[in-house]
Amino acid sequence: MTLKWLAVVVATVSITLWATGNVVTLAVDGGQLPLFVNLFVLIAAGTAVVLAVVAELHERLNNRLSALTEFLVAQLNEIESRTGDRNTGFVEGYLLSHGQEAAVVPFGRRGRGAAER
């Protein structure tokens, strides 16, 4: 049972016991439960309700972050599949036109001036 539903059950049971206790005390005694008991039950129920709301908001935020992550991964995979490696086609074409024993030689370093030659 998740935290949210546990908090809802605690709040429901607390309010039910509080109302039942006050009704029984009113019917038998003509009074009510002591103030300490009433405050304790109401504080417990209020805390449980706040905890349930926070747990629900956390669950929604987590679901949205998961959906956003999946969307971004899908978009990045689509971009990668569309762009690919631009040099792959050139190298494959070169190897096909020169046979299997052709060697692929990388370009030299760029930026050399006349002074280095």
Side-chain angles (χ1 to χ4, degrees), residues 25-76:
T25 306
L26 179 65
V28 172
D29 237 0
Q32 64 179 2
L33 290 174
L35 181 64
F36 174 74
V37 175
N38 283 334
L39 286 178
F40 178 75
V41 171
L42 291 176
I43 288 173
T47 304
V49 168
V50 169
L51 186 62
V53 169
V54 169
E56 174 66 20
L57 292 176
H58 182 267
E59 183 178 340
R60 287 183 181 189
L61 178 65
N62 194 20
N63 289 340
R64 286 187 180 198
L65 285 176
S66 297
L68 179 64
T69 302
E70 290 173 6
F71 174 74
L72 288 175
V73 167
Q75 290 296 318
L76 289 174

Side-chain angles (χ1 to χ4, degrees), residues 6 10 13 21 24 29 33 40 47 49 58 66 74 76 83 85 96-98 103-104 109-110 117:
L6 183 65
V10 166
V13 169
V24 168
D29 237 0
L33 290 174
F40 178 75
T47 304
V49 168
H58 182 267
S66 297
L76 289 174
T83 57
D85 188 9
L96 287 174
S97 68
H98 286 85
V104 177
R109 292 182 55 190
R110 294 183 182 182
R117 291 185 186 167

Side-chain angles (χ1 to χ4, degrees), residues 3-13 48-49 52:
L3 178 65
K4 175 179 68 173
W5 292 112
L6 183 65
V8 169
V9 168
V10 166
T12 305
V13 169
V49 168

